[in-house]
Amino acid sequence: MAWSDHLRVAVEATLAVYEGRDGRGSDAYNEADICHPMADGKYLATLAVLRRSNLLSMTKFADRANVACARLEESASRFSETGYCWGLGFGWRELPPSEPYLISSAVVARGLWDCQRQGLRLELSAKLLAGAGAGLAAWVRELALPVDSTGITLPAYSPGIREPIYNAAAYANGTLKLISDSEGTSRSGAEIVPALEWIRARRVAGLGWPYSPESPLVDLLHQCYLLNTFADVFGAQAIESEAAEMVGQFAGPGSFSDAIRIVSDRAEADGGHDIAWLRPFGAQQLELLPKPARLWSLGELLVLLSRLGLEGERCDAWLRLARRIAEVILARLAAPDDQEVRYPRHVMHAAHGLAAYLAALRQRAGSDAVRLPGVE
């Protein structure tokens, strides 16, 4: 079987399992068998890529998307009079299951927007997208946190976590800009772009973005959320060197690390249990936490690599790296003892990455596939 055919079979098999369970499953943070709005957002994004690549008929696209939209309608909560938002569906950090989260809401909104761009004209999906866009706009306005003296604000991570988390704030603002631009509304450049530029300037040279202004943690999934958002807004080539540096820091001999912590000295990294994995980094050091990259981190990384494989200056090199990541994801999905295959949020990130990579290969091969979401 050809490599692209193998990928296509794997993507469809992964989606079939998800659909067969009605989008339900447990989570790394909760064992309950429930639906996960973020997973449905990524599921919709995956369907949109398959439709854009002419691997899914419009009828099947609409039928499958409609099922996910019904789940999202049921799990949506009101943020404002007209806006929708989504949470985790389970309690986290002493917050209730009903707590909405910015990143969950943004991932759902992005998936809905991706589907609309591919011609989805369901009444329910249009209603949800309008509500998701209104919810993000209200969130950015009403939960705004000042972050400097020039008037720049970032939206809080959740009503109960009043912190400006870089990846969530960027993903929400970037998605809101895409929605606003496609609707021809005025709220895109004047308010959103300065906030995104401010976040972009918070990058630690040679490494990437910490989790927040107060956090020393640099997480692979969140780097990829940020870089994919900046590629949407500023173009893929604008972030190519940053992506290369990030990949180099997280890469190990046999796999990628999932997280890095910036520490001042060796004593700070000594937890008393293991020898710390340290790399010199100017006057500081980087501690690679002894945890391999999670499935959702690899999936979002593969989305990024696939985009660079189409738009980057070193397209072939990015696609070669993408193949290695795709092979790791496929092996993980097929492993019967891998805990993460039970987690819909993780698996749907992986499916999105595989579909994006498949679409990139088809486009590079000169097939009738067209561009990935966000690549104009």
Side-chain angles (χ1 to χ4, degrees), residues 91-107:
W92 183 64
R93 287 193 179 182
E94 300 183 353
L95 294 171
S98 60
E99 178 80 359
Y101 292 95
L102 184 61
I103 188 62
S104 298
S105 301
V107 168

Side-chain angles (χ1 to χ4, degrees), residues 29 70 73 75 108 122 137 143 157 169 223 232 234 294 296 312 324 360:
Y29 301 100
E73 182 182 37
S75 61
V108 170
L122 296 173
L143 289 181
Y157 190 67
Q223 301 309 296
D232 283 336
F234 304 112
R294 295 164 293 178
W296 59 359
R324 293 198 289 273

Side-chain angles (χ1 to χ4, degrees), residues 37-261:
M38 180 186 282
D40 274 330
K42 277 295 183 178
Y43 172 75
L44 290 174
T46 304
L47 294 181
V49 174
L50 295 177
R51 175 59 193 157
R52 188 175 291 236
S53 300
N54 293 318
L55 292 172
L56 196 60
S57 71
M58 180 57 76
T59 299
K60 290 184 177 179
F61 176 41
D63 287 346
R64 295 166 85 170
N66 193 48
V67 175
C69 286
R71 288 194 295 263
L72 288 170
E73 182 182 37
E74 184 176 350
S75 61
S77 57
R78 288 285 185 184
F79 188 86
S80 61
E81 184 176 342
T82 59
Y84 294 148
C85 57
W86 286 268
L88 295 171
F90 56 85
W92 183 64
R93 287 193 179 182
E94 300 183 353
L95 294 171
S98 60
E99 178 80 359
Y101 292 95
L102 184 61
I103 188 62
S104 298
S105 301
V107 168
V108 170
R110 179 57 192 264
L112 290 163
W113 182 83
D114 285 345
C115 287
Q116 184 194 62
R117 293 278 287 179
Q118 298 315 306
L120 188 66
R121 294 296 180 264
L122 296 173
E123 182 178 345
L124 179 54
S125 66
K127 170 189 169 183
L128 289 173
L129 179 58
L136 286 181
W139 193 308
V140 168
R141 181 178 64 251
E142 296 174 17
L143 289 181
L145 303 172
V147 290
D148 73 356
S149 60
T150 68
I152 296 292
T153 64
L154 298 181
Y157 190 67
S158 83
I161 302 177
R162 297 297 182 101
E163 297 178 32
I165 306 303
Y166 290 148
N167 71 89
Y171 204 114
N173 272 308
T175 300
L176 185 55
K177 184 178 188 305
L178 293 175
I179 294 172
S180 300
D181 288 351
S182 65
E183 294 173 345
T185 57
S186 59
R187 187 196 162 82
S188 58
E191 298 176 52
I192 293 175
V193 171
L196 290 170
E197 289 175 337
W198 189 91
I199 296 172
R200 197 177 179 197
R202 306 280 77 75
R203 177 177 173 272
V204 177
L207 178 59
W209 289 265
Y211 188 66
S212 71
E214 306 302 323
S215 173
L217 191 68
V218 182
D219 179 283
L220 178 58
L221 173 64
H222 301 148
Q223 301 309 296
C224 297
Y225 279 161
L226 284 157
L227 288 165
N228 276 317
T229 296
F230 295 143
D232 283 336
V233 176
F234 304 112
Q237 288 193 9
I239 55 91
E240 191 166 8
S241 62
E242 288 94 335
E245 287 183 348
M246 181 273 292
V247 165
Q249 290 289 9
F250 279 88
S255 65
F256 277 79
S257 178
D258 199 65
I260 296 172
R261 191 162 63 99

Side-chain angles (χ1 to χ4, degrees), residues 9 36 52-53 93 118 138 141 151 300 342 352 366 376:
V9 169
H36 301 268
R52 188 175 291 236
S53 300
R93 287 193 179 182
Q118 298 315 306
R141 181 178 64 251
E300 196 67 18
R342 299 165 44 226
H352 186 207
E376 299 297 336

